[in-house]
């Protein structure tokens, strides 16, 4: 079942549950349900647009505010940043740049022209940057850690000798999101983006902890152009079951939003932002190694090719 089909079914279930009183939410009037469905359809359109332009937006962030972007990567790679101050500053600096880039791209295509549509695009852009950037930083830090195991001292060199051994993987942005398109009491109560913004990175980390080998093998198959392995691993990593596991963990961590999560999940988009961010964070370090540390790159490639083979063999055995 593709993403659009699942979203359509979710909308049908929303209508049935709310009108039949099966939800703990008060049953909505037809006008309220129409407003909810219209807003949710706009969210779906914005998610499709942001997904298609995520890399353009992130390139703009890096080009505009490279110091703040690099501080995010260094926080995860080098220090625990226990008070989250560096993460908060990076988010405050770079998230508006990304959101503005999405708005500019939309204007160039005469899309999302009404005030409500602009606000919806801003909300989706905020969630996208939040999830993609944190996951990118995790992938970046993870790959540096793996490279350091092959060449001890590399991490310290990249961190200018300032390395804190604390685990930064569970750090996240403290900043709360100021939502623009959930202005009515109805939409505020049914804000399905909220749980992902608060707990999406934590839920995805749990999946990573269980499947690091597969996620990493996918990256290596991309980097080393093993197309058959890439195709197999891509479908395994992004299979419906993984998206559902991610969504279930978000719901578990988001008790106060449990009803919202049943009604309005957005699991597909959030998972896509997180998995893509991790993938490209890993890839960026591989590119760095190839350019500046060729000896380590050769070791990494040999290790990566072996992991690809093991992962594909494991998939074949499980079929």
């Amino acid at each position: 079942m593709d993403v659009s089909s699942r979203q359509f079914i979710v909308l049908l279930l929303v209508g049935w549950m709310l009108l039949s009183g099966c939800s703990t939410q008060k049953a909505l009037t037809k006008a309220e349900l129409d407003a909810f469905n219209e807003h949710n359809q706009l969210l779906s359109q914005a998610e499709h647009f942001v997904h298609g332009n995520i890399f353009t937006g992130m390139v703009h962030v890096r080009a505009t505010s490279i110091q703040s972007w690099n501080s995010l990567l260094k926080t995860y790679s080098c220090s625990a940043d226990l008070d989250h101050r560096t993460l908060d500053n990076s988010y405050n600096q770079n998230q508006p740049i990304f959101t503005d880039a999405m708005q500019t791209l939309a204007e160039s295509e005469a899309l999302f022209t009404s005030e409500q549509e602009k606000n919806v695009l801003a909300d989706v852009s905020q969630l996208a940057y939040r999830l993609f950037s944190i996951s990118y930083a995790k992938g970046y830090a993870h790959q540096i850690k793996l490279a350091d195991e092959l060449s001890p001292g590399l991490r310290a060199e990249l961190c200018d000798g300032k390395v804190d051994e604390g685990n930064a993987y569970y750090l996240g942005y403290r900043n709360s999101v100021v939502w623009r398109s959930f202005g009515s009491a109805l939409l505020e109560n049914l804000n399905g983006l909220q749980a992902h913004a608060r707990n999406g990175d934590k839920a995805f980390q749990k999946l990573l902890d269980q499947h690091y080998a597969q996620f990493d093998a996918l990256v290596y198959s991309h980097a080393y152009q093993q197309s058959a392995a890439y195709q197999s691993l891509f479908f395994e990593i992004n299979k419906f079951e993984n998206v559902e596991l991610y969504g279930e963990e978000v719901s578990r961590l988001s008790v106060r939003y449990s009803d919202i999560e049943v009604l309005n999940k957005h699991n597909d988009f959030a998972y896509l932002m997180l998995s893509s961010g991790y993938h490209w964070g890993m890839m960026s370090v591989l590119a760095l190694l190839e350019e500046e540390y060729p000896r380590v790159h050769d070791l990494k490639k040999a290790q990566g090719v072996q992991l690809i083979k093991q992962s594909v063999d494991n998939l074949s055995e499980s079929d």
Side-chain angles (χ1 to χ4, degrees), residues 6-291:
R6 289 203 296 275
Q7 289 173 334
F8 178 69
I9 289 173
V10 168
L11 285 176
L12 289 179
L13 288 173
V14 168
W16 177 77
M17 292 172 68
L18 292 177
L19 291 176
S20 66
C22 291
S23 168
T24 58
Q25 297 281 345
K26 183 179 71 173
L28 303 184
T29 66
K30 182 179 185 304
E32 288 174 326
L33 182 59
D34 288 345
F36 171 80
N37 286 344
E38 179 182 359
H39 185 257
N40 210 38
Q41 287 167 1
L42 285 176
L43 287 172
S44 179
Q45 292 167 14
E47 288 171 356
H48 180 77
F49 180 83
V50 171
H51 171 224
N53 293 285
I54 184 73
F55 299 112
T56 301
M58 293 307 302
V59 167
H60 185 64
V61 167
R62 189 178 185 278
T64 305
S65 183
I66 190 168
Q67 185 173 354
S68 291
W69 176 249
N70 285 343
S71 70
L72 169 67
L73 303 183
K74 279 203 168 186
T75 294
Y76 271 83
S77 303
C78 307
S79 65
D81 188 31
L82 295 179
D83 63 2
H84 293 232
R85 188 176 304 170
T86 302
L87 289 178
D88 292 346
N89 290 340
S90 177
Y91 181 82
N92 288 335
Q93 180 71 32
N94 290 340
Q95 177 271 314
I97 296 172
F98 180 83
T99 298
D100 288 346
M102 291 297 106
Q103 296 283 4
T104 300
L105 287 168
E107 289 173 8
S108 70
E109 299 180 31
L111 298 172
F112 301 96
T113 55
S114 73
E115 196 63 26
Q116 174 69 354
E117 289 169 339
K118 290 178 181 178
N119 288 337
V120 166
L121 181 59
D123 285 345
V124 170
S125 298
Q126 289 184 87
L127 179 64
Y129 179 81
R130 193 178 187 88
L131 298 182
F132 186 95
S133 60
I134 282 293
S135 201
Y136 186 108
K138 287 183 178 183
Y140 186 95
H142 180 63
Q143 188 65 277
I144 286 180
K145 179 183 176 182
L146 295 177
D148 188 68
E149 291 172 359
L150 293 174
S151 180
L154 177 62
R155 180 182 173 214
E157 181 179 339
L158 292 172
C159 293
D160 300 322
K162 301 174 182 178
V163 175
D164 186 330
E165 294 302 331
N167 185 359
Y169 288 179
Y170 291 96
L171 289 175
Y173 294 127
R174 264 185 331 189
N175 318 59
S176 60
V177 176
V178 179
W179 305 104
R180 301 186 193 178
S181 70
F182 296 87
S184 70
L186 166 68
L187 294 179
E188 183 179 355
N189 288 334
L190 295 173
N191 182 351
L193 303 184
Q194 182 75 288
H196 296 287
R198 288 179 180 268
N199 294 313
D201 62 313
K202 301 181 189 72
F204 186 71
Q205 183 63 52
K206 183 173 181 179
L207 200 65
L208 275 177
D209 289 340
Q210 296 169 349
H211 301 291
Y212 263 120
Q214 288 185 345
F215 276 91
D216 293 357
L218 175 65
V219 173
Y220 298 138
S221 66
H222 182 182
Y224 307 134
Q225 301 179 355
Q226 295 199 16
S227 56
Y230 178 84
Q231 185 174 15
S232 297
L233 290 163
F234 178 86
F235 285 111
E236 179 66 19
I237 288 298
N238 295 288
K239 64 185 179 182
F240 178 72
E241 289 82 359
N242 276 1
V243 177
E244 286 296 286
L245 286 172
Y246 161 77
E248 289 169 5
E249 183 64 11
V250 169
S251 295
R252 189 187 70 79
L253 293 169
S254 311
V255 177
R256 63 179 289 202
Y257 306 111
S258 58
D259 284 341
I260 295 170
E261 281 301 292
V262 170
L263 298 175
N264 191 4
K265 291 188 174 181
H266 301 278
N267 289 342
D268 296 284
F269 178 73
Y271 182 88
L272 187 61
M273 291 299 100
L274 289 158
S275 61
S276 296
Y278 179 81
H279 187 104
W280 286 100
M282 291 272 285
M283 287 285 288
S284 67
V285 176
L286 294 180
L288 172 68
L289 295 178
E290 184 174 16
E291 182 175 344

